[in-house]
Amino acid sequence: MVRFSWQRILIGVASVNLFTVLYIWRTLDSRCSCGTFAVSVNHTVMKRMFENKIEKKPPPSFMLKTKSQLMHHNLPSGVESDVTFVLYEFECFEHDLEETVKHLSEIYPLVPVLIVSDFVPYPPLLFLRTMLNYNVQLISLDPGANKSSTMTNLYNFIKTKYVVFVPDASRMTSTVLSELLQFFLFLPHGHLAAARIRGQKSICFSLEVDLKRWTLTYRQNAGIKICDSLQGKHLLIWSTQQLLDLNQPLVQPFPEALFIQTTSRNLKVHISPEHLLSEGKLLFKDAHLREKRRMLDSHRRMNLYKKFGIKKIILPGNQVYWFGCEKHTSRCFGTVHNDMPEYLFQGRWTPPCCLENLRKTARHVFNILEKCEVKYWLEGGSLMGAFRSGDIIPWDYDVDIGVYADDVLKCEWLKNAQKQSIVDTSGFVWEKAREGDFLRVQFSQTNHLHVDIFPFSSRNGVMTKNTWFKNHPQDREFPEHFLYPLEKLQFVGIMASVPNNVKGFLELKFGKGAVDNPQYPVPSVLKIL
């Protein structure tokens, strides 16, 4: 019995020792990762490999780094987890994407690289086949009918705090990114940081984005490092949240489209005075490729201005470019209802191209009437605009003038227009208005911007006419003495005929105080803010 008890005691002690060893071993094992590896496998890619649908190639040499090497690479603390590189500024037919991506992945292996294209790149970017399991992605913004919104939404691809736009064929040292990020973090909230490319032009502009007047105005700022817009290749750093808050985060031409949106939010771009990138491959050496790129940029710019509602561009040196209606196109707005054009409800005024074409039409009409010795004068809102600013009211859409009815027969264009529509040698259309007993001159057969000509007759010293508009309170008779004598006032770039005592005439028509208190045609519907 004693021997049996000692055996049981020995077995118990051995068991306790064994369990103690096992517990210590499992505890140490759970705290040490040196013997385990977490492997992320792209199962779709592996399946395709086994099915021989893609050629199995080893990763490029610049990707062959161990986990230890990556962790001890010369990376500033935190940078790799805070930024995403975006390559959007490139052309599919001439680029240096492969070497640019390799360069970025070499110096910042843990930073995601996102190649963004408006369409699926062609020729295809074959070098990406070797990078399927790395931090490089390609997305196309083309909204195909078979695409989910998640496939084109940048929210699903940029997960870092900051985004770095890297121009194609640029190179940087391993310290530039962290230094630029520090420069960026000291800027006012929402502003952008930029770094120049050595040897590339860098032009700083102030930019006025006047959406109410459909106009962009650029002025060059020589020697200034705080800009609204930049010309030339630059690396840009910005807050991802600010970028994704834009209506059009990525749209070509880039970054021109970006700067229009940031300027409209009063955000500036600051050029770092110290940090420079170098250029990689020299692109567009061939004249044919340069012309192809120029034509593409021109097409993109027209699409951009149409998307943003820009009709007029003023560049340094007062160079003006128009992107609106012309003589061979329709005007920029449709039929006007209740004297309130559609653009007023969009928070805008008359498109500048329409105003300019109205000016051309008015000058043409005045010139012909003066040659025919037809006595005319500005009426209604046109006279109000001349008195206030020497031009058309910024939200008006036609020009009104009065003439003596007896003078109509002096001018062949007016006389014949009473019978049929006539196109003169300059393409202007003279015709009888459909709305009443008055005449109209249109900019062209296609573009119906116009000058209305109202024939007045004198009756016992009072000027009257046959057609009245009940919804126009200012459309009323007036004493003839306002026309003796007629005076001249600046209007649409020339000296036009106006009644004498213009302010008195306008107050008779519109009421006291109207001259100094601008209002839209129907203020009860919409007021000027």
Side-chain angles (χ1 to χ4, degrees), residues 27-282:
T27 301
L28 291 174
D29 183 64
S30 66
R31 296 181 180 180
C32 178
S33 61
C34 55
T36 59
F37 294 91
V39 181
S40 175
V41 180
N42 187 323
H43 296 285
T44 303
V45 173
M46 295 299 293
K47 180 180 178 183
R48 291 173 62 196
M49 283 184 173
F50 282 112
E51 293 176 352
N52 294 319
K53 291 185 178 179
I54 62 173
E55 181 181 357
K56 291 182 285 185
K57 293 184 178 180
S61 59
F62 73 91
M63 288 290 190
L64 294 177
K65 296 183 182 290
T66 66
K67 183 176 180 180
S68 176
Q69 286 175 311
L70 291 178
M71 295 303 294
H72 292 88
H73 198 274
N74 186 23
L75 288 173
S77 176
V79 168
E80 66 274 19
S81 62
D82 284 341
V83 301
T84 296
F85 290 130
V86 175
L87 287 150
Y88 182 55
E89 197 178 349
F90 68 91
E91 300 294 353
C92 292
F93 58 87
E94 174 80 346
H95 60 76
D96 188 36
L97 286 179
E98 182 173 1
E99 293 304 317
T100 302
V101 170
K102 286 181 179 179
H103 167 73
L104 294 174
S105 298
E106 175 71 27
I107 59 173
Y108 293 108
L110 301 180
V111 177
V113 178
L114 190 61
I115 302 173
V116 184
S117 177
D118 291 333
F119 302 96
V120 175
Y122 183 82
L125 305 179
L126 298 179
F127 71 91
L128 292 178
R129 291 183 178 181
T130 61
M131 301 182 183
L132 290 174
N133 285 332
Y134 297 90
N135 285 339
V136 182
Q137 279 185 292
L138 168 67
I139 66 168
S140 167
L141 300 179
D142 181 26
N146 61 338
K147 278 188 175 182
S148 163
S149 61
T150 60
M151 299 173 67
T152 57
N153 193 332
L154 293 177
Y155 277 99
N156 299 313
F157 297 94
I158 304 178
K159 302 296 185 181
T160 55
K161 291 169 61 178
Y162 311 112
V163 59
V164 179
F165 291 103
V166 182
D168 186 22
S170 60
R171 307 288 186 264
M172 70 180 81
T173 65
S174 60
T175 61
V176 164
L177 184 59
S178 61
E179 293 170 357
L180 270 173
L181 190 56
Q182 292 174 20
F183 172 77
F184 166 76
L185 292 176
F186 279 95
L187 299 180
H189 177 70
H191 288 213
L192 299 83
R196 296 174 291 125
I197 311 295
R198 184 179 287 106
Q200 291 276 341
K201 65 178 180 180
S202 175
I203 303 177
C204 175
F205 293 102
S206 65
L207 171 61
E208 181 184 356
V209 180
D210 191 345
L211 295 179
K212 186 181 287 290
R213 291 180 172 83
W214 314 69
T215 301
L216 300 179
T217 303
Y218 290 87
R219 297 180 181 87
Q220 188 168 338
N221 292 335
I224 297 178
K225 301 300 182 183
I226 302 177
C227 320
D228 293 321
S229 181
L230 294 173
Q231 183 178 330
K233 288 174 65 174
H234 298 82
L235 179 142
L236 299 173
I237 300 181
W238 202 24
S239 158
T240 300
Q241 181 181 354
Q242 293 278 345
L243 173 71
L244 298 181
D245 191 46
L246 295 180
N247 179 262
Q248 300 285 333
L250 292 183
V251 62
Q252 295 282 8
F254 188 88
E256 179 181 338
L258 176 68
F259 293 141
I260 292 172
Q261 296 177 86
T262 54
T263 300
S264 68
R265 298 179 176 213
N266 296 315
L267 302 177
K268 303 284 186 179
V269 55
H270 300 246
I271 305 175
S272 170
E274 301 176 359
H275 304 102
L276 288 173
L277 280 70
S278 57
E279 190 168 20
K281 177 183 176 182
L282 183 61

